Amino acid sequence: MSPGAAGAEEGENPGALQMDDDGAMEARFANLCKSVAGIDEGTAEEALALFGESKEILLGIMSSVGSGTPDVVERFWSAFLLYCVVRLCTGKETHESSDGRVKLSQILEAAKLNALVFFKEVSHFALKADNVLSIHYGPDWEKRIDLKELHANADQLCWLSRFYKKAYHQLFKVSASCSGRKLLVSSHEDYVSDYHCFGWLLFLELRAHLFSHFKDLVTYTNALVSILAILILHVPTSSRNFVISDSPFFTKKSGKGVDLLASLSQSYDASEVELWRMTEKVNKLVVDVLKKKPCHASECKAESLYNINTDELIYFEDLLDEKSLRSNLFILNMDYDDIIKSKVELDERIFLNIEDRLDVNGSLNFSGDAISVSHGRDNVALVSTPAKSIINRVASHPGASPPNGNFVGNSRMAQWTPVSSTMTTAKWLREVVSPLSSRPSSGLHHFLTFCDTDLKSPVIHRANVILEAIFPTQYGERCIHGSLQGANIMDSVWAEQRKLESLKLYYRVLEAICKAESQRLSDNNLTSLLSSERFHRCMLACAAELVLATHKTVTMMFPAVLERTGITAFDLSKVIESFVRHEETLPRELKRHLNSLEERLLESLSWEKGSSLYNSLIVAKPALATDINRLGLLADPMPSLDSIALHKNIAAIGTQPSTSQKHASSSGRNGESRSPKRLCSENRGVVLDPNILKSPVRENQIAFNSPKSKLPSLQSAFASPACPNPSTGGEPCAEAGISTFFSKILKLAAIRIKSLCERLGVPQHFLEHVYFLIQQILSQRTALFFNRHIDQLILCSIYGVNKILNLDLTFKAIIYNYRKQPQSRTQVFRSVYVNWSSIQNTKKGHEHIDIITFYNEVFIPSVKPLLVELGSSKVENSNSLAQDKSNNPIGHIPSSPRLANFPNLPDMSPKKVSASHNVYVSPLRQSKMDALLAPSSKSYYACVGESTHAFQSPSKDLMVINSRLNCGGGGGRRVGGRLNFDLVSDSIVAGSLGPQNGSSGSSAAVEVTVKSEQPDL
């Protein structure tokens, strides 16, 4: 069957294409501008003109697959466009003042939109609007509006709110009241007490007054823990859920009583030193804003201080008593209203008791379409009127208090959240990395001085320059305004601490790599590796990224380190695996982070314009050189250290880089895709030595037909692409690098194809056809990957194979199931980059189109011959031929395709781990997680990536689990019986598993009898 085209009926929204000849859209947008207080006539006119100019884009979004109703899409687009104009308009000199500019909260309130859903959609709108906004406001417009930072900040506030709410409910009674009245609730049924509200407002005040440039999750969590300490000292004991003298939550004690901050630091993996510093800042905030007089707690006789070691603690006599609580809440709210006018874009009081929108991974979770909004009054109030909600609303359904003893210390392991994982990794930095020296160790010094020239000084100088560019400690003329002093000093201290952590981690891993390379080469002279500028910058970027990922700062999100160090995503991909392999103590969360980074590098970032991947491709695959040079995809020369040092203070700290946050490269004024900005500009044309050109047959083997080989050495990975590689017979070093990169691409594609096809319920041979097609595209149509996301080609390949095999899948069904994938993003199927100049088409320039248009106009014309070949009988009968040729070193020619076996993926089947007992261990599927939510049961399970203790190996985890099964789950409780595994036969286990990896078997559940015995005494 012919591949065919994707029908328009699969992607179009019928109601979205109605033309708006009477100007109703413009009228609604003009009304929105009028409803937002503070927008002057000039700004409104500029916004209205831009809305008219971008109206065609809006209609295209309405018609694209996966969009919501036209009315909702229009309101989101209008709010986004209005915010951009307010921030970027020509009259910005009148709007940049601290009190004059309209805030995002006002616009969302007028448009009646949910802030969280708005942020979920904003990156898609930014792609669509890039051309028109770049023409009017310059190519750096997205940096100047800080939307990505606001989005990340909203995510963090959700995590922090959930953490604070849980901690508060564990420590205090939810039904706490004042004067016999329930004073405060959220917009839903969850009850929020005045004390709960006071703590959150105090936290927001601290954020606004004290934290500026580096807003990181660890600092914010320390602030919340310090505020919890303030609440413990001041909330009446009648509102507590604990008895402090006999509580498992407060275990650090002395002869003078409970050591409060030490206990809290242990419970939340916080630094006790940082908690003391943060508590001092909270106390100063109470003095400056609430005008309270501090007293030494040791001199006070309040009941809430009994059995607490009050040395060095501060107490405020009337901070939370019944008379002053409401006035203090009023003062905090009034002060925060002033803060909104001058400092923050979003009223963060809405996060006080935000809806539970976090999935098990800590990401924002929305049901239904991504663009959706309720018109109910309560949902609008959630975003638009937090102050009124905090002060005036009356509780209707107070929640029940948690049972006594349910403290974080008892169940923290079972509840793995973004905050808890961040604090655990921060503890690793504090305990493992921070004690190290900030100078090269004696072992590293030996390798640096054993090179042809002494490299110690260049290595130290480079590290200081690069890390100062990533963590600048001086901010020029930028300053922080506010009632509290010292914000700049605190930011400088924070930056210096992160710089030192990155430096120590860099030296530590560099030494481990040097030792491994020395053993492998039997030579201590590592000049070729240690003299590579790009290698050292990649190592520094990786170390700094791990430190940033640990602290989760919203102002330096990946790929910011690439921009600051002058490297590209493809460069960084060469060191990630080595970094993980040579740092054995790396926490699992950071290993997961590096794994997710590598996936992002493989799926799209390395394919963006300006990637050094293209500099290697034109050497390894010379046939692509024409397209690469014509599209201007080559990377600029790496900037020198001097230029980085000179320009390190030019970019504002709060801005984001223009690379990879925009999918498939955004566009500039001239209609060409923008490359990552570099500080040097040289001729990027590459002259190839004719001796390195390969035959098409040899070139076709790069990705697939060579035996599975080891990773190329770091020396060859960071050598010049055209430099001969002695270890492979003089071939260019680019060949080994591209071969490794392509093999990783195919492995990632196989995992995603398998996962998506399982959702679609297609047979095994369908997977093999799709995988083979992706293989052929990567080998013979590599240009389809340029500036695109691998998932876009997978979606199109699935639909194309579906047509060939006469199945009944629709594009709508494919996208519906793709949206359930963990890596799914709406931009993947809504915004596919196309440069029409490289396609036989009457159109010119470039744009972002939806996936169905891309399939019909770009994918099919390019891939149709491969699809036709895939459906031919010789492909179906090629498996036997493939085996006959398996030992052929030359491989098959491109005109004779064969179906390659689907790669072996991680097996989820249980493995027998005991020769004498029928005990099986298997990775835990995500679908089974929900069955383990109860803390009493979760503590008996070891989930993939989770540990019973910090920095502990899986083998020790199993020992802990065995101990619990044999003698009880902790806390003195013993298991009432033993599990007799011998009653469960291998056949029963195999039959209960269902089909695994293509095997057949019944999926029905098997009832197993467990013998109960009396425990040994």
Side-chain angles (χ1 to χ4, degrees), residues 229-230 232-234 256 258 260 276 279 283 293-317:
I230 299 295
I232 290 171
L233 293 175
H234 294 86
K256 297 182 179 181
V258 169
L260 183 59
W276 276 106
T279 302
N283 290 335
K293 182 179 179 181
C295 303
H296 293 290
S298 58
E299 301 174 358
C300 300
K301 303 299 181 181
E303 184 181 1
S304 58
L305 300 177
Y306 290 172
N307 296 314
I308 294 178
N309 183 357
T310 56
D311 292 348
E312 300 183 26
L313 293 177
I314 297 298
Y315 184 78
F316 299 94
E317 289 288 351

Side-chain angles (χ1 to χ4, degrees), residues 189-336:
E189 295 184 356
D190 290 338
Y191 184 86
V192 180
S193 74
D194 282 356
Y195 303 125
H196 186 176
C197 174
F198 177 86
W200 185 253
L201 286 174
L202 202 60
F203 169 66
L204 297 184
E205 289 276 329
L206 193 66
R207 274 170 54 94
H209 285 295
L210 202 59
F211 309 134
S212 54
H213 297 298
F214 293 98
K215 305 169 184 176
D216 69 289
L217 192 60
V218 174
T219 301
Y220 289 158
T221 304
N222 285 334
L224 277 176
V225 175
S226 299
I227 288 172
L228 287 174
I230 299 295
L231 294 178
I232 290 171
L233 293 175
H234 294 86
V235 171
T237 56
S238 60
S239 298
R240 289 179 176 176
N241 264 336
F242 60 90
V243 177
I244 198 164
S245 60
D246 187 27
S247 170
F249 194 79
F250 303 98
T251 57
K252 296 288 186 177
K253 300 178 182 179
S254 66
K256 297 182 179 181
V258 169
D259 193 333
L260 183 59
L261 293 185
S263 296
L264 291 176
S265 67
Q266 182 184 49
S267 298
Y268 297 107
D269 284 334
S271 166
E272 184 179 353
V273 174
E274 290 301 318
L275 287 187
W276 276 106
R277 292 175 181 171
M278 197 63 67
T279 302
E280 291 176 2
K281 299 179 188 301
V282 177
N283 290 335
K284 190 174 188 305
L285 179 72
V286 172
V287 173
D288 291 346
V289 177
L290 295 178
K291 310 302 180 185
K292 299 298 181 182
K293 182 179 179 181
C295 303
H296 293 290
S298 58
E299 301 174 358
C300 300
K301 303 299 181 181
E303 184 181 1
S304 58
L305 300 177
Y306 290 172
N307 296 314
I308 294 178
N309 183 357
T310 56
D311 292 348
E312 300 183 26
L313 293 177
I314 297 298
Y315 184 78
F316 299 94
E317 289 288 351
D318 57 347
L319 182 63
L320 293 180
D321 62 16
E322 190 170 317
K323 295 180 180 179
S324 59
L325 178 57
R326 281 191 64 84
S327 64
N328 289 337
L329 283 173
F330 180 79
I331 293 172
L332 290 176
N333 272 294
M334 293 297 293
D335 190 69
Y336 193 75

Side-chain angles (χ1 to χ4, degrees), residues 875-894:
V875 172
E876 295 292 341
N877 298 325
S878 63
N879 283 333
S880 59
L881 179 63
Q883 293 184 0
D884 295 337
K885 294 184 178 181
S886 60
N887 296 321
N888 186 352
I890 299 180
H892 65 279
I893 61 176

Side-chain angles (χ1 to χ4, degrees), residues 247-440:
S247 170
F249 194 79
F250 303 98
T251 57
K252 296 288 186 177
K253 300 178 182 179
S254 66
K256 297 182 179 181
V258 169
D259 193 333
L260 183 59
L261 293 185
S263 296
L264 291 176
S265 67
Q266 182 184 49
S267 298
Y268 297 107
D269 284 334
S271 166
E272 184 179 353
V273 174
E274 290 301 318
L275 287 187
W276 276 106
R277 292 175 181 171
M278 197 63 67
T279 302
E280 291 176 2
K281 299 179 188 301
V282 177
N283 290 335
K284 190 174 188 305
L285 179 72
V286 172
V287 173
D288 291 346
V289 177
L290 295 178
K291 310 302 180 185
K292 299 298 181 182
K293 182 179 179 181
C295 303
H296 293 290
S298 58
E299 301 174 358
C300 300
K301 303 299 181 181
E303 184 181 1
S304 58
L305 300 177
Y306 290 172
N307 296 314
I308 294 178
N309 183 357
T310 56
D311 292 348
E312 300 183 26
L313 293 177
I314 297 298
Y315 184 78
F316 299 94
E317 289 288 351
D318 57 347
L319 182 63
L320 293 180
D321 62 16
E322 190 170 317
K323 295 180 180 179
S324 59
L325 178 57
R326 281 191 64 84
S327 64
N328 289 337
L329 283 173
F330 180 79
I331 293 172
L332 290 176
N333 272 294
M334 293 297 293
D335 190 69
Y336 193 75
D337 286 338
D338 293 335
I339 289 173
I340 293 175
K341 296 176 183 178
S342 60
K343 293 185 179 182
V344 298
E345 288 291 340
L346 195 65
D347 190 336
E348 296 168 352
R349 288 173 293 194
I350 66 174
F351 296 94
L352 171 66
N353 197 33
I354 199 69
E355 294 173 87
D356 193 3
R357 291 183 179 273
L358 300 179
D359 59 23
V360 293
N361 296 318
S363 303
L364 287 176
N365 182 29
F366 299 92
S367 58
D369 288 338
I371 296 185
S372 60
V373 64
S374 172
H375 299 280
R377 185 172 181 178
D378 283 344
N379 284 339
V380 174
L382 177 65
V383 179
S384 60
T385 57
K388 294 180 181 178
S389 176
I390 286 175
I391 295 296
N392 298 328
R393 300 191 64 180
V394 178
S396 56
H397 299 284
S401 300
N404 291 334
N406 185 19
F407 295 102
V408 175
N410 292 348
S411 60
R412 186 163 52 84
M413 181 203 69
Q415 297 289 334
W416 202 251
T417 66
V419 172
S420 65
S421 63
T422 296
M423 298 306 287
T424 300
T425 53
K427 182 180 179 181
W428 171 78
L429 271 182
R430 190 168 61 249
E431 296 182 353
V432 177
V433 176
S434 292
L436 300 175
S437 172
S438 59
R439 304 282 295 180

